[in-house]
Amino acid sequence: GENSLAGLESRRAEALRRAERLVAEQTEIEGQRAGACDRLQGIVRSREDGERYLRELQREREEASKEAQRLDDRLRETDQIVGRQQEELAGVESRLRALQGVVREDMGYGREGEEKATSLRAACAGVREAVAEWLVVPPEFERAIEAVLGERVRAWLVDGPSEARQAIEFLKKKKLGRGTFLPLRPRWSADADGRQGNGKGWWPALADERGVLGRALDLVRAPDKSKQALACLFEGVVVVKTLDVAVRLWERGLWSAPGGPTLVTLEGEVLDAAGVLTGGANGESGGLLQRRREIERLEAKRAELTHTVEENWRNREQLSAERESCAVAGPRRDEAIREAEMGTLAFTKDEAGLGQSVEGLDRRLDTIRAERLIDEEERTRIDGEIEAARTGLARMRQQKADREAGLAQ
């Protein structure tokens, strides 16, 4: 009995030692699991951060691609606009050069490319500006004024006949044709208003007539110092709307030549006081005054187009710089995306490996818990056997004592 009890006690002690080892192992593994779980959570957070960063980079790449496409479209559109504007500018400059060459020669500046040899104004100090550039004529009256002036529209202003004689000698020498020269102070007996006395009778009768636009002297302007020259050119000239108006007024017989007015229409028909009528179709290119006006319009158009082309070129340079910036940033962004993808893949692998480690630790903990449960059951059974053995041993000792006591009696 005592040997059996000793064996049970030995087995119970072994079971306790095994239980202590299992507890220690369980504690260690639980610590390992806690550390692994902490690391796993850190890796998960890093992976999620990396994925967010990767998505942000991919979004930026998509936006950059759209921006690059937008800039390419803008560049193509700007190139097309600049091309059309440059073509238009070239056409304007070509037309302007042609007109300027004709007008400059008509105004005494000389033939294009031969200015020094053919320039009347350079050769003759007494020749001033041309009548066509001296007059200030509203656009709507240019055709009428040029018609009434005739060849005098190509005349030049001079100080006097002596300077005109010098100029004519130059024209003869250079075989440049004929010219008309108007003194700045002609001998013209006009009153302060630029009207001769014999004109006072007909103007009050015409002033309020329907279709009468005004006296040429009141419609055309020139520097004050040359007012007499202006009167010399336009004394007695009245501008009317149409030829019908001119004929109607002349047929009323309110005047006779030479003291009556010369009527000129907006279309350029001229009806003098005697009834001589000049008119017909105008040339397509227009007169000198109209060409001068066309030059002014073309110069303004050229300045506008030049400014617009320069501005569009600046815009193109800005767009090109932005496009170049996109092109430079693209490879750096692609490299950052590749690095982010590799980082995210590494975190994913680490996460999978740590997940497997945690699963392995969980399985080991489950095994230890099962083994501890079995050991507890075993210790309970051994404790029961020990208790039963002690009870039996005590009973046997009591029986032995009773027998010995009986024998002693």
Side-chain angles (χ1 to χ4, degrees), residues 362-376:
D362 286 338
R363 289 193 296 271
R364 179 55 184 155
L365 286 173
D366 290 340
T367 301
I368 290 173
R369 293 188 186 101
E371 290 178 355
R372 287 186 62 189
L373 182 60
I374 293 172
D375 284 349
E376 289 177 0

Side-chain angles (χ1 to χ4, degrees), residues 310-325:
E310 290 175 351
E311 185 176 358
N312 282 330
W313 268 117
R314 287 192 294 271
N315 292 338
R316 192 194 184 285
E317 289 174 356
Q318 178 65 30
L319 290 171
S320 181
E322 293 178 10
R323 184 64 181 88
E324 181 64 22
S325 178

Side-chain angles (χ1 to χ4, degrees), residues 21-65:
R21 287 196 303 272
L22 290 174
V23 168
E25 185 178 359
Q26 181 178 350
T27 301
E28 180 182 359
I29 293 176
E30 286 176 347
Q32 293 176 0
R33 185 185 184 281
C37 288
D38 290 342
R39 291 193 302 275
L40 180 60
Q41 290 176 358
I43 290 174
V44 170
R45 285 193 296 269
S46 297
R47 176 184 57 77
E48 292 174 347
D49 291 343
E51 289 175 345
R52 282 192 294 270
Y53 178 58
L54 178 59
R55 287 194 297 269
E56 179 66 19
L57 288 175
Q58 291 171 338
R59 183 188 63 80
E60 290 178 0
R61 180 171 62 182
E62 183 178 356
E63 291 179 354
S65 176

Side-chain angles (χ1 to χ4, degrees), residues 55-336:
R55 287 194 297 269
E56 179 66 19
L57 288 175
Q58 291 171 338
R59 183 188 63 80
E60 290 178 0
R61 180 171 62 182
E62 183 178 356
E63 291 179 354
S65 176
K66 293 179 180 178
E67 177 66 10
Q69 183 61 49
R70 184 188 70 83
L71 290 172
D72 288 339
D73 294 341
R74 289 275 308 277
L75 282 169
R76 282 193 296 271
E77 180 183 353
T78 302
D79 287 340
Q80 292 172 358
I81 292 173
V82 169
R84 290 194 297 267
Q85 290 173 340
Q86 287 178 326
E87 289 179 2
E88 184 179 1
L89 179 59
V92 168
E93 289 180 335
S94 176
R95 171 64 176 163
L96 182 58
R97 283 193 300 270
L99 279 176
Q100 285 175 332
V102 173
V103 171
R104 282 177 60 86
E105 186 173 350
D106 285 345
M107 289 185 178
Y109 289 98
R111 294 171 184 166
E112 186 174 2
E114 303 177 17
E115 286 83 356
K116 291 183 178 180
T118 61
S119 174
L120 181 64
R121 297 180 65 170
C124 305
V127 176
R128 301 181 181 274
E129 62 262 56
V131 167
E133 61 181 335
W134 165 68
L135 292 175
V136 180
V137 183
E140 63 270 25
F141 301 127
E142 285 178 345
R143 184 172 293 178
I145 296 302
E146 188 153 357
V148 77
L149 285 175
E151 284 301 315
R152 288 179 297 174
V153 75
R154 292 178 172 79
W156 294 282
L157 294 171
V158 293
D159 293 333
S162 295
E163 288 76 16
R165 182 180 60 187
Q166 180 186 2
I168 288 175
E169 291 297 329
F170 177 80
L171 293 177
K172 289 180 178 180
K173 179 180 179 181
K174 297 292 183 179
K175 297 180 181 180
L176 295 175
R178 297 170 62 83
T180 301
F181 301 91
L182 175 65
L184 280 172
R185 293 176 179 82
R187 292 176 181 173
W188 189 260
S189 59
D191 60 18
D193 294 329
R195 297 175 297 169
Q196 290 182 318
N198 61 6
K200 292 182 178 179
W202 51 259
W203 175 241
L206 287 179
D208 297 326
E209 284 288 334
R210 178 172 51 86
V212 175
L213 301 177
R215 294 175 302 179
L217 282 172
D218 297 326
L219 301 175
V220 176
R221 292 185 292 108
D224 291 339
K225 65 180 181 180
S226 53
K227 196 157 190 166
Q228 287 180 324
L230 195 65
C232 175
L233 292 174
F234 298 110
E235 176 64 36
V237 176
V238 176
V239 181
V240 298
K241 282 188 176 179
T242 64
L243 183 58
D244 290 340
V245 173
V247 172
R248 174 174 56 81
L249 294 174
W250 187 87
E251 288 178 346
R252 288 174 59 180
L254 297 178
W255 59 79
S256 63
T262 297
L263 304 178
V264 59
T265 71
L266 293 178
E267 291 296 320
E269 295 97 357
V270 180
L271 179 61
D272 69 10
V276 177
L277 178 62
T278 302
N282 293 301
E284 293 183 1
S285 61
L288 182 57
L289 293 179
Q290 291 172 287
R291 289 198 293 270
R292 186 190 68 175
R293 180 75 60 183
E294 177 69 4
I295 285 174
E296 293 174 354
R297 186 191 70 81
L298 290 173
E299 286 176 340
K301 183 66 174 176
R302 179 180 63 180
E304 177 187 353
L305 282 172
T306 300
H307 174 74
T308 303
V309 168
E310 290 175 351
E311 185 176 358
N312 282 330
W313 268 117
R314 287 192 294 271
N315 292 338
R316 192 194 184 285
E317 289 174 356
Q318 178 65 30
L319 290 171
S320 181
E322 293 178 10
R323 184 64 181 88
E324 181 64 22
S325 178
C326 287
V328 171
R332 291 199 300 264
R333 187 183 301 106
D334 292 341
E335 180 62 24

